[in-house]
Structure formats: structure tokens, C-alpha cells
Amino acid sequence: MSVNSVEKSQDQPQPQSQAQLTEFVERTAAQHGIPGATVGVWADGREIFASHGVTSLDNPLPVDKDTLFQLGSTTKTFTATALMRLVADGRIDLDAPVSRYVPELVLSDEKAAAGITVLNLLNHTSGLDWNIIVDTGDGDDALAGFVAKMADLQFIGAPGDRASYSQAGFNLLGRVLENVTGLTYEQAIASLLFEPLGLTQSFFGTAEVMTRRFAVGHNPDEDGDLAVAKEWRLTRGNNPGGGLASSAADVLRWARFQMGDGRTEDGEQLLPTELLHRMREQTVELRGSNLGDGFGICWFLREVDGVRTIEHGGSTNGQFAELLIVPERNFAVVAMSNSGTDGIAFNRSVVRWALEHHLGVVDKDPEPLPYDEARAQEVVGAYENDGMILTVATDATGLTLGAVIKPEIRAAADFEMPADYEPAAMGLLPGDGDEFIVTAGGLKGQRGFFSRDVSHDFSRELSRDTSGAVTGIDLGGRVFNRVPTASA
């Protein structure tokens, strides 16, 4: 029986079977050329899984629900929840300056640094740029070494002014965990979360992962064919923001805890209910982003077809993960895939299918406006942050957006880095807020907005003030500043 032939009531879709999920996952993975993927769904009080393909094109093993994939930035939800356990114990104050817990911290702007609170880091309002590209080794001092390098990181604004996604900020939170607990970050996460929650298939270290079945990433080679990504994991200094490897089974167990009352399956009150639920209350607004309408504490918050969701995705070198939870409907879906650059599109398709076929919730992209040459000329150009360059171009019939790692960073790296995103179609969205959506390619469905010179008043940005020249792009929650042209 095909998915389309399953009859649903108008009010409530019928529960979907593992066979139906498997059929969709296999068909969609084939369409996107995904070597291996695993999906888990919690709905109607039960869990179902579907897997496709192999762990590696070079050394293939079948993928199943226990295969380890890299979670990338979904790791941040673990870091944040562990911090909240220490908040519950009175060992951390969310409103305290982070320097109270990391007195060795030195940043490029001492005044701004003094104003960064723990909460600013947890909801990405610290003003810190995305990240620093540095390898501080694999020893227990890796995070200390990373923090020592943070003086090289730029500020994109004052603490509290606006949200801007920061990997470095979450790595700094990992150092908070270390200093407060006296453990390494990895030991702290294991003690505070993995052990009490029974997450037995979640690991940071290569030594633990390599003795189990695990997926490797894949990126297009020079001929466009998928090849194994040779650098498997991020540096240890990036573990708090993106270093966890886990299985679909463990991630669903994690999601069930997040939907609950803070108790473990054995009845232990791991986190007070009010603190767990506080994590999904909005702390700051997001504008023009497919990631969400706002941040809670770490979680992206989004209303989809009238239903509130919390979610977080992640990417590493040729691997992608997406976790979406609907607490009020006791529903969760996780999708993990091992192909760049189409892994994002695959994961989003799976999440949308699960929402629609289990909850009757339809998640659709907004339609862009017809091409406008005058508006296009306002936004064409190059935009950069510390690690990447975005290029917006036009051929007088449409706009395109490409995303590449800075050439100097790629050239200096002694390991293979993730693939770039070739220019693909994008369009401006209705309204006066300079919002846009990418409509093709590996970033299809990604939304953002162009920022203008509004005298650094973010309240005017939020009110969609379209006066002033375009000065930057916000994409994926990250700020990219416009690169001045020779004639500027």
C-alpha cells in the first residue's frame, strides 16, 4: 500500500506504520542521492524507525536505528540542558556574567565581555561572532585552549542587542561546565545526562565510536561524485557546540525526556519541571528565519500550521541531523543523513512528511515575489563572517545565492573541509522586511533577511525599517557583513 493510498479522517490522520515510513525514507533518499540515513518517530505513544542505505560508500555496512551519526549543533541541546541542571542546583545563575565561571576569559572588547551573561550564551544574544577556526588538540585541556583563543573572535553587536548564532558561545558554555563541575566537558555530560537517562549510544570520543557501527560523511568530489569525507569529527574544542555522535534510538529517548516533566524513566527528578519547560519559552525574537520564530534556551521555537514546535538541527563534514519536537502533541521526529550537500533537503522532507502524516500539520515554504531588478541591485554583492562568504548575484532574470568557506581557511586546513554550496536560485519574500528564501540547491528552503544601516538599532530592524543601504545578511541565524566594493 502506498503512502498516498492511506485514508485519513479530515480531523485526525491515521497512525503511520513502519512500512509506510520506510517506503518514504527510501524513496526520498534515492531522489536526493543519500548513501545512508536513519529516521525515528515518536507518535501515538510508540516509536517507529526507518533506515536506508549504508554507513560508507567505501566500507559499506547497513544503517539501522542504532547506527551512530554525528549530531552537529543538535549537541547544543545537551550542553544547555546540562547547564540547567546546575542552575537547578544553585551552582549557576543564568543572569550572572559568564566571567564569574570562566575568570580566565579574555575577549576583544573588554566592556562587552563584562556584559555577557550565561543566558546570553544560551540564547545566542552574546554579540559574539560565529566561531574561530582553531584546533587546540585532543587533550583534556582542549576547551581551555579554545577559550584562550577567543580574544581573536569579533563582536557583531553588544550583548543582548540581538540574536546571532554562535558556535563559539556554546563552546564557552562547555568551559563553564568544566569549571563548575571540576570534570571535563565530556565527563560532565555523561554524569549529568547520559547515565541517568540511559543514553548508552551517545559518545564524543572517536575511540568509543569506532568500536560501534557508525556513519561517515560524504561530499561531492571534483567530478560531482560523492566521496567519503576524510576528516570524520570536529576538533575536541568544538564538542559543546557540535561534537556528539548518537543513534536515532537515543535521540528519540532524549526527545521524550524533553517532552516530559523532568523525570527519568526510573522516576528520578533530573530537572525541575518548570526549568525544563522554561527552556522552550521564548527569550528573544528571530526574524525571517526558517529555523524559528525565536529562541528559547537553546531551542529554536517555531509555530507550524498553528502548532508550537521546538527544534534543533546540526551539520558536520558531510553529515546532517534534524530533531523536531511537538510537546503539546507528544510527538518527535529525528532524521540523520550522511551526504552533503543534499542531506539538509532530505532531512527537511522527512520531518515535513512525519508532521503531516502523523499530526495533520502542513509545513510549507512561502512563495517568493516576482523578480524586481531595482531591488535585486540593492542586494547583489559579497557578504562574509569569520569563516564563510555568501555571494548574491543576478543575471537580470533572477537572484542566486552561493555559500563557500573562505579560500584562505580552506587552503590552510590540514584536513578536508565540508563542501561549498554552488549558486542556486533565491527570491525576495512579500512584505517590506527584505526577507528572502532560497528556492533550489542544497540550501533550498533556507530563509533569511538583508539588514540595513539603521544606526545599529535592532528594534528598527525588527520593525522592518527599509531605510538605509543594505549592510549584511542574516542566514541560518548567523550574521554576514557586506564586503565593500572597490567603488564603495
Side-chain angles (χ1 to χ4, degrees):
M1 180 183 295
S2 70
V3 171
N4 292 332
S5 67
V6 177
E7 294 184 359
K8 303 184 298 180
S9 72
Q10 293 183 350
D11 296 325
Q12 180 64 40
Q14 298 299 312
Q16 301 295 294
S17 69
Q18 180 174 332
Q20 291 163 330
L21 178 63
T22 298
E23 188 275 336
F24 180 82
V25 167
E26 290 181 346
R27 172 163 46 88
T28 307
Q31 290 172 351
H32 289 283
I34 307 295
T38 184
V39 174
V41 175
W42 174 262
D44 306 303
R46 65 191 181 104
E47 59 184 18
I48 57 174
F49 297 94
S51 299
H52 163 83
V54 296
T55 57
S56 166
L57 291 178
D58 287 353
N59 298 285
L61 290 173
V63 171
D64 60 26
K65 68 182 179 67
D66 296 320
T67 300
L68 304 180
F69 281 74
Q70 293 183 41
L71 298 189
S73 287
T74 311
T75 305
K76 291 179 173 68
T77 66
F78 292 81
T79 301
T81 305
L83 262 293
M84 294 302 283
R85 284 208 65 192
L86 299 183
V87 170
D89 291 341
R91 302 169 71 183
I92 289 179
D93 180 349
L94 290 177
D95 296 320
V98 69
S99 58
R100 176 185 299 180
Y101 309 106
V102 189
E104 68 270 28
L105 178 65
V106 176
L107 296 174
S108 59
D109 184 329
E110 292 185 9
K111 181 178 178 181
I116 298 175
T117 66
V118 175
L119 181 58
N120 287 147
L121 296 174
L122 286 165
N123 68 4
H124 297 282
T125 59
S126 67
L128 292 171
D129 208 340
W130 171 57
N131 203 14
I132 48 174
I133 310 300
V134 61
D135 185 351
T136 54
D138 210 34
D140 288 350
D141 61 349
L143 264 180
F146 183 94
V147 169
K149 296 285 188 179
M150 286 185 66
D152 298 332
L153 188 66
Q154 298 302 307
F155 279 82
I156 59 93
D161 271 4
R162 58 155 298 166
S164 180
Y165 194 83
S166 178
Q167 170 84 359
F170 261 77
N171 293 338
L172 178 55
L173 285 172
R175 185 59 177 161
V176 172
L177 276 172
E178 289 191 334
N179 284 350
V180 173
T181 64
L183 304 171
T184 67
Y185 165 78
E186 297 80 10
Q187 290 168 341
I189 296 294
S191 174
L192 292 167
L193 298 176
F194 293 169
E195 293 167 8
L197 292 175
L199 301 179
T200 59
Q201 301 174 82
S202 299
F203 309 96
F204 288 99
T206 306
E208 292 88 357
V209 172
M210 68 180 295
T211 60
R212 296 162 174 86
R213 185 168 301 193
F214 65 97
V216 301
H218 298 81
N219 290 316
D221 62 16
E222 293 180 355
D223 298 321
D225 299 321
L226 287 180
V228 170
K230 299 302 183 182
E231 186 71 13
W232 182 78
R233 66 185 290 264
L234 297 171
T235 61
R236 187 173 176 183
N238 277 288
N239 274 355
L244 183 60
S246 188
S247 67
D250 257 20
V251 175
L252 269 195
R253 183 182 289 255
W254 176 240
R256 288 169 63 186
F257 170 75
Q258 292 292 334
M259 287 188 288
D261 61 1
R263 296 179 187 272
T264 68
E265 292 184 355
D266 295 331
E268 175 191 355
Q269 191 71 54
L270 196 66
L271 189 61
T273 305
E274 61 271 20
L275 281 183
L276 181 65
H277 291 182
R278 182 180 175 184
M279 293 182 68
R280 53 190 197 235
E281 296 174 1
Q282 182 166 305
T283 60
V284 64
E285 180 182 354
L286 284 176
R287 169 187 163 197
S289 174
N290 61 290
L291 298 173
D293 307 313
F295 276 119
I297 290 178
C298 179
W299 290 107
F300 289 96
L301 312 179
R302 188 164 64 103
E303 186 172 296
V304 182
D305 201 12
V307 174
R308 293 184 61 195
T309 71
I310 65 173
E311 52 193 296
H312 214 298
S315 62
T316 59
N317 193 5
Q319 296 195 49
F320 300 89
E322 185 69 32
L323 171 62
L324 179 141
I325 302 171
V326 186
E328 66 189 61
R329 302 285 289 272
N330 194 27
F331 171 87
V333 54
V334 56
M336 298 186 283
S337 54
N338 65 351
S339 175
T341 57
D342 292 323
I344 293 175
F346 167 81
N347 289 351
R348 291 182 76 242
S349 295
V350 169
V351 168
R352 286 181 166 183
W353 184 92
L355 280 170
E356 181 173 0
H357 288 78
H358 284 278
L359 301 184
V361 171
V362 178
D363 185 10
K364 296 191 298 185
D365 289 331
E367 289 293 329
L369 294 166
Y371 176 74
D372 182 321
E373 175 68 19
R375 291 193 69 187
Q377 291 301 326
E378 284 190 282
V379 301
V380 294
Y383 304 79
E384 66 177 359
N385 65 10
D386 49 2
M388 298 188 71
I389 299 173
L390 305 181
T391 302
V392 177
T394 180
D395 61 1
T397 63
L399 286 165
T400 62
L401 183 144
V404 302
I405 294 173
K406 285 186 171 181
E408 62 270 25
I409 291 178
R410 191 178 287 279
D414 56 2
F415 58 89
E416 179 186 334
M417 301 192 78
D420 294 329
Y421 289 93
E422 296 298 323
M426 64 175 290
L428 296 172
L429 291 173
D432 57 3
D434 286 324
E435 296 178 8
F436 66 85
I437 184 169
V438 183
T439 57
L443 293 174
K444 182 179 180 180
Q446 298 291 301
R447 293 172 56 191
F449 64 90
F450 294 95
S451 54
R452 294 179 181 266
D453 183 2
V454 289
S455 302
H456 306 290
D457 182 350
F458 188 56
S459 65
R460 290 179 65 195
E461 288 191 38
L462 287 176
S463 65
R464 283 58 170 170
D465 190 322
T466 55
S467 63
V470 171
T471 58
I473 284 181
D474 189 295
L475 178 65
R478 302 171 186 170
V479 173
F480 296 80
N481 293 314
R482 192 167 198 164
V483 179
T485 62
S487 58

